[in-house]
Amino acid sequence: MMIKRLTSPLAAVMSATILAGCANFPTAIQHGGNPFTQPFTYEEAQGLQASGTDFKSALIKEYQALATKEGVVWSDWFDSDFFARKAIKISEADGIIGPEDPANWRFTTEELTQFAESRQQLLAALNEGVGDFPMEAAKAQASFDCWVEEEEEGWQNDEIAKCKDQFAAALKVLQGVIAEKPTAELDMAKLYTVFFDFDSAEITSVGRLVLQALVEDWGKEAVTFELTGHTDSAGSKSYNEKLSLRRAQAVKSFVAGMSVAESKMTTAGVGETSLAVPTADGVREAKNRRVVIEVK
């Protein structure tokens, strides 16, 4: 016999007392939290301050939010306690406390298969991203744990889907920023970036200075220039693809006007598919409106 959601800590105590004689009732739920300790762990977790690494601080905030959602919003003090205790454990640990292993939860072998690949991808991304992208890494890990908790609970299909979708989106963002990270072998002196005003392909006064420096550095060398235009996420994808290409072509025309052969330049527009600063759809972000020139 199993009761997963209780309306309050008091109700949790009463239910546990009533069912104490039932042999199948788990008096200490391994991963669902403990309603007897909830008033203490929740308050302690909410009082935690940012400490340690940026990833650790971001992770604590994510689990604080999950504890609040489960307890205050849903009155699910079992799982509120679980997330609160995990926040406390993270704050006290010297190392990194990773995402949940679904094998330790109440899933059948068949149910576990849906998590296997996702968790493997998450661990790989965390291994590369916790240092450079702590906010994105924390969001991905906490979203995964949210999915595990809701899936095990198994009755709020909309919440299961919401947590699963949030995890997929967070993992995609984390993998994206990792992929964009320059490798150690990349010569940053061969990269130049020109930024643009919103919904514009006109080169600004600052952009002209960047391109003048580019030509001074490389204009007479036996090199080629790869110009890639980008946009932020405001506007439709099809429009942004065209705008990003117009930006790359504007840079090409300006550089050609300084006696650099057009045959040395290639242009491409990738729209909003490679954001320098990850954002939600429809967000105006100046650092994403750019043309990146790579000297090869």
Side-chain angles (χ1 to χ4, degrees):
M1 184 173 184
M2 180 69 65
I3 290 181
K4 283 294 294 178
R5 287 206 182 273
L6 303 170
T7 57
S8 69
L10 177 60
V13 173
M14 293 176 63
S15 296
T17 302
I18 293 171
L19 296 170
C22 181
N24 293 328
F25 184 74
T27 56
I29 297 178
Q30 182 179 7
H31 292 281
N34 184 347
F36 295 96
T37 65
Q38 185 280 328
F40 304 100
T41 55
Y42 177 77
E43 293 299 329
E44 181 181 351
Q46 294 304 309
L48 295 173
Q49 300 297 317
S51 62
T53 65
D54 290 341
F55 174 66
K56 188 174 181 178
S57 296
L59 207 52
I60 289 172
K61 290 181 181 179
E62 292 290 341
Y63 286 111
Q64 286 173 327
L66 287 172
T68 297
K69 183 193 76 168
E70 291 295 330
V72 177
V73 178
W74 289 109
S75 296
D76 181 352
W77 299 109
F78 283 104
D79 292 317
S80 174
D81 183 63
F82 163 69
F83 288 123
R85 285 187 289 113
K86 187 151 187 178
I88 295 169
K89 186 176 181 180
I90 291 167
S91 72
E92 295 174 344
D94 292 329
I96 293 176
I97 303 298
E100 290 299 300
D101 183 350
N104 294 328
W105 289 62
R106 291 179 292 241
F107 292 114
T108 65
T109 302
E110 182 178 355
E111 289 171 334
L112 286 173
T113 58
Q114 67 177 315
F115 295 109
E117 183 178 354
S118 294
R119 188 170 188 270
Q120 185 177 11
Q121 291 182 11
L122 173 60
L123 290 174
L126 290 175
N127 186 55
E128 292 190 51
V130 294
D132 294 310
F133 311 107
M135 301 293 289
E136 294 85 352
K139 174 64 71 174
Q141 174 171 320
S143 298
F144 179 82
D145 284 0
C146 178
W147 175 27
V148 171
E149 181 270 320
E150 291 292 347
E151 189 73 53
E152 186 231 35
E153 201 166 51
W155 69 281
Q156 289 181 301
N157 291 333
D158 55 340
E159 286 298 309
I160 294 172
K162 182 178 179 180
C163 286
K164 184 177 181 179
D165 290 345
Q166 286 177 340
F167 164 68
L171 179 61
K172 184 177 180 180
V173 168
L174 178 58
Q175 291 172 328
V177 294
I178 290 172
E180 285 290 299
K181 179 183 176 182
T183 63
E185 294 76 23
L186 183 61
D187 184 358
M188 296 303 292
K190 293 186 177 181
L191 284 180
Y192 296 76
T193 303
V194 176
F195 294 99
F196 290 79
D197 292 332
F198 176 71
D199 196 24
S200 173
E202 183 177 349
I203 298 173
T204 66
S205 57
V206 175
R208 289 194 289 271
L209 293 176
V210 172
L211 295 177
Q212 287 168 3
L214 168 73
V215 174
E216 289 175 4
D217 293 341
W218 299 100
K220 296 181 180 180
E221 302 293 331
V223 296
T224 59
F225 304 94
E226 188 176 278
L227 318 178
T228 306
H230 302 261
T231 70
D232 58 24
S233 62
S236 69
K237 288 181 172 58
S238 60
Y239 179 85
N240 284 337
E241 287 177 2
K242 296 174 183 177
L243 175 59
S244 65
L245 182 58
R246 293 206 315 270
R247 286 173 174 167
Q249 291 170 338
V251 169
K252 180 179 180 179
S253 296
F254 187 91
V255 174
M258 291 187 287
S259 301
V260 175
E262 290 190 5
S263 60
K264 297 177 68 174
M265 294 179 279
T266 61
T267 59
V270 297
E272 60 184 83
T273 61
S274 184
L275 301 177
V277 178
T279 69
D281 191 33
V283 175
R284 298 184 181 186
E285 171 53 58
K287 292 182 180 179
N288 290 332
R289 303 192 295 264
R290 69 204 192 279
V291 169
V292 177
I293 304 107
E294 184 174 357
V295 182
K296 293 190 172 184

